[in-house]
Structure formats: structure tokens, C-alpha cells
Amino acid sequence: MQDIVSLRRDFHKIAETGWLEIQTTIKVIGHLLDLGFEVKYGKEVHTERIGVPKQAVYDAYLNTISLPQVSFDISEIIQGYTGCVGVFDTGKPGPTVAIRSDIDAVGLRESDSINHLANIEGFRSTNDFAMHACGHDGHMAITLKTCQRIVDEKDKLKGKYVVVFQPAEEGVRGGLSMSKLDIIGEVDYLLGGHIGMGMETGTIGVGTDNFLGTKKFDISLKGRAAHAGMAPDQGRSAILGAAALTLGLHSLSQYRATSRINVGQISGGTGRNVVAPNAELLLEIRADDNEILEDLDSRVRIMSKSTAQAYELEEEIVLAGAAEMFSTRHPEFVKETTDYLRAKGYKVFEKPSLNASEDISFYLNRVEKNAGRVMHFLFGSNLKAAHHNESFDFDESILPIAVNLYMDMIYKFNNH
């Protein structure tokens, strides 16, 4: 308990947002190498990065941190190719089991309240722009301690073990890239989980269901500036175009199944007496059917382009985040796992509904399409404040429970 809590708090102190998890990645790689895992990282573990910060953001952040002296090359990590994949082969024929953990923090300044545990115990985030307000620090600790157990108990195990430490889950930006790796296509069993999510400490949600597919878009509109009083006809207002586009977009989510669209932010213009030469919209779409999500994607793009044409604007649309819908193809495996864990003494809740988006869905879908089996858990933990709140904290007693759970699943797969 003391070791895993200490590990979780080490990660909490260096909270970093998506694609900036530089210190975090270096620390994870160090732990994996110490355990004897083969580690891949940098450009070789990425295929299609989306929602990546501008270079100026990297430059500014690197000026605020001191990089450790390590025995491996970090040149690509500091370019934003964060995350890593660890592999441990027992050398004995058996299944390939993967565990996926997210590693990024939320863009939030952590509470400085004297009642906040991180302040009392001295593990508050050292980065004021980031806080582990969703439990990803706990996910890393659980996964690394499971790696330690795999190594310690290797003589009892067979097969190969793959751990994926994925960046940029917040905003669903990292899963698309790492889930396409060849090694994911070789996986027989995939495990993943999330701390909290409304469940009390010690309760395990088995076979999380109803992952909504989503796509995030940044739309830029470029018009022409003009004097708003003297010559408004000479201008082309990007803000007017953005307003019309917002109203049009919100009319699109009319489907037989669940679908949602939200323009969450509009910005633009240069002054009250200037016809706005620029505007930006940040929006998302969601659906519980991947075909509907793709249709909605197409309609968003058509409406964005046609509205820009109507207002004589230049338009650019960029994909900034994505996750697939997921609902298991193998409910019998969920039932089998629920019965197995209940017999092991766990307090279980079968098929909790996520009703939100998480980019582990890319891995879950790919493994199932390749005839593998997947299991996503909710690790129940009483929270001090809600997810993504500056006072968020969870009951750390769930951490060793989750490690034991992963190991029990690994032994189940070994004996299948």
C-alpha cells in the first residue's frame, strides 16, 4: 500500500497535459527498464497524432522544467512524442495480454486549500497549468505495480505482456495514434480501467458499456476587415458566418439513435468598429453508433464549407480529437468475468454505463475485431470532489485492489 501510494503521488506532483507529458513519460520508461521490460517510445509508437499543441507551447514548458539525466535518448519525447509501450516476454508459449493506462492530466490549477490532501501531504502539482483531476496518476501506479507483479511472478506465468502508457486521453487525442500499432493487433486479451466514476470504494464495475463515439473539431473562418460604420459592405464578417454556422450545426443531431453536437466556444474579431476578419469555433459531436458518428462528421464538414461560401469566407476544419463508440460484441465474456471475480471475493457491478467518451475504445474495438477479448473496469473509489474539479482526490485504498484484480485476470487468461 505504501509503495503504490508513493508512486501515485510522485506522478501527481508532475502533472502534465496532453502531448506535454515529458517528465511523466521519462519516469514511466525508467520504471519499466528497471523491471526488465523492453520499451518502445518516441516516434515509433505513434501513427497519427491529433490535437498537438503549437511549438511555442513546448518551448515555454521546457524552459520551466529540469530534465533528468537518463541512460536513454529523450530527444523525441521532448518534441511531444510522449507515452511508451513496454513488453515483457516470459519465453513460454501463451496469450498476449495488454494493459492500457492513460498518463495525462487535466488543464486545471490544483486547489491551494489547506484541507486538500495534496497540500496536507505535500504532493500538490508543481505545474499550475495541470492537475491530475481524473485519476490518471492512479492508473499509472496500478499498471506499473502490475508490471512489478508480472516480473516477480514470471515463473508462474506464460505468454507475453504489453503495457501501453498513452498520452492525451483528455480531449481524446492520443488513442487514435497508439491503437494502430502492430503490437495491438497481436493482443489476445486487453485490460483497462478508470478510477472513481461514481462508484464507492471497493466496488468493481465489470465490462463498462455505452462508450459514446466522438469527434472534436476546430473550425477557422477568415473574412475581410473593413470600417463597420463607413464601409461595412467592403468587409466580410467571419463572426456573422460563425454565428450562422453555430445555429446550423445545432440542427444536425436528428437521428434515430443518440447523437449530440455542441459548439462550446466561439472567438474572433479585432474591435467593435471593425467588420470581423476572423473567427474560430470549437465543437464536438457524439453518437452511440459509429455509422451515425461518421454521417454526422460528413454533415458538419459540408455545413462548415457551405456556410463559409455563403458568407464569402475562407474555411479550415481540423480534427482535434476522436474516440469510437464501443459496446462489447461478447456479453458472455462479461458475465463469465463477473462470476469469476465474484467468486474471488470482489464486490462487482456488471456492465456499468459510461455514457461518455474515452479513447480506449479504439483498442477495445480493434482487439475484438481481431477475435480477442477485452475487459474495461471501473475501480470504485470515494471522491473528495468530482472529476475535473480543482479539489479532486480519490480513496487510495482502491490502488492495491486494482492491482490484485489485474493479476487475477492475468491468471485467468493463463489458465484458459
Side-chain angles (χ1 to χ4, degrees), residues 230-381:
M230 186 183 303
D233 56 302
Q234 294 179 15
R236 296 293 182 267
S237 175
I239 282 182
L240 280 179
L245 179 55
T246 298
L247 292 174
L249 289 170
H250 276 269
S251 72
L252 294 180
S253 57
Q254 299 178 23
Y255 290 91
R256 66 186 180 277
T258 298
S259 63
R260 298 171 186 166
I261 188 164
N262 183 61
V263 177
Q265 184 175 332
I266 300 178
S267 59
T270 59
R272 71 178 72 246
N273 62 344
V274 181
V275 175
N278 62 281
E280 290 189 353
L281 294 83
L282 306 185
L283 66 138
E284 67 171 21
I285 57 175
R286 299 184 194 246
D288 63 359
D289 182 298
N290 284 330
E291 289 185 7
I292 289 176
L293 186 72
E294 292 306 314
D295 186 64
L296 190 52
D297 175 320
S298 175
R299 296 174 71 192
V300 165
R301 294 176 187 275
I302 291 170
M303 181 163 285
S304 180
K305 184 175 181 178
S306 60
T307 303
Q309 290 176 337
Y311 284 82
E312 299 182 57
L313 307 170
E314 296 178 23
E315 174 256 8
E316 181 183 29
I317 184 167
V318 176
L319 180 67
E324 292 181 332
M325 171 267 177
F326 173 76
S327 184
T328 184
R329 304 176 182 202
H330 302 288
E332 74 286 352
F333 183 61
V334 176
K335 179 65 167 61
E336 174 189 324
T337 302
T338 301
D339 292 344
Y340 170 77
L341 293 175
R342 184 177 286 120
K344 285 282 185 179
Y346 293 94
K347 181 180 179 182
V348 295
F349 181 87
E350 188 173 347
K351 293 190 72 174
S353 179
L354 187 68
N355 203 33
S357 304
E358 222 273 40
D359 61 9
I360 194 175
S361 59
F362 285 116
Y363 308 82
L364 298 171
N365 278 320
R366 186 176 180 196
V367 172
E368 283 203 341
K369 286 176 183 176
N370 289 340
R373 295 293 184 269
V374 304
M375 187 56 56
H376 186 274
F377 299 102
L378 298 184
F379 303 126
S381 180

Side-chain angles (χ1 to χ4, degrees), residues 183-208:
I183 198 166
I184 303 302
E186 302 169 3
V187 168
D188 298 302
Y189 297 99
L190 174 73
L191 300 173
H194 204 297
I195 286 172
M197 309 302 288
M199 287 195 167
E200 66 180 15
T201 298
T203 300
I204 303 297
V206 182
T208 314

Side-chain angles (χ1 to χ4, degrees), residues 25-173:
T25 297
I26 293 170
K27 185 179 286 289
V28 169
I29 292 172
H31 281 290
L32 290 174
L33 290 175
D34 287 345
L35 288 171
F37 274 67
E38 175 191 353
V39 184
K40 299 180 184 297
Y41 63 94
K43 293 181 180 180
E44 71 172 331
V45 299
H46 289 289
T47 60
E48 184 182 352
R49 295 188 307 153
I50 55 177
V52 179
K54 295 180 179 179
Q55 185 58 47
V57 175
Y58 285 103
D59 294 341
Y61 181 51
L62 287 169
N63 284 332
T64 68
I65 61 175
S66 297
L67 297 173
Q69 295 293 319
V70 292
S71 60
F72 50 92
D73 183 9
I74 64 171
S75 60
E76 293 178 352
I77 297 173
I78 65 175
Q79 294 173 38
Y81 291 88
T82 50
C84 64
V85 176
V87 180
F88 186 84
D89 193 338
T90 65
K92 293 173 282 186
T96 296
V97 180
I99 302 173
R100 178 270 199 178
S101 171
D102 37 23
I103 69 173
D104 60 324
V106 179
L108 191 68
R109 187 179 189 276
E110 186 161 8
S111 171
D112 55 11
S113 168
I114 59 173
N115 297 317
H116 183 52
L117 184 64
N119 294 321
I120 296 171
E121 299 288 340
F123 62 97
R124 184 179 186 275
S125 172
T126 56
N127 290 322
D128 277 347
F129 68 89
M131 174 195 172
H132 274 296
C134 205
H136 299 186
D137 49 346
H139 301 166
M140 287 183 280
I142 290 165
T143 305
L144 284 172
K145 282 298 177 182
T146 302
C147 290
Q148 182 177 326
R149 289 277 302 277
I150 289 169
V151 172
D152 290 345
E153 300 173 32
K154 63 182 183 294
D155 292 341
K156 302 176 184 177
L157 300 173
K158 58 186 178 180
K160 183 186 296 184
Y161 298 89
V162 178
V163 285
V164 179
F165 289 88
Q166 180 213 300
E169 186 282 322
E170 301 294 349
V172 288
R173 295 173 288 155

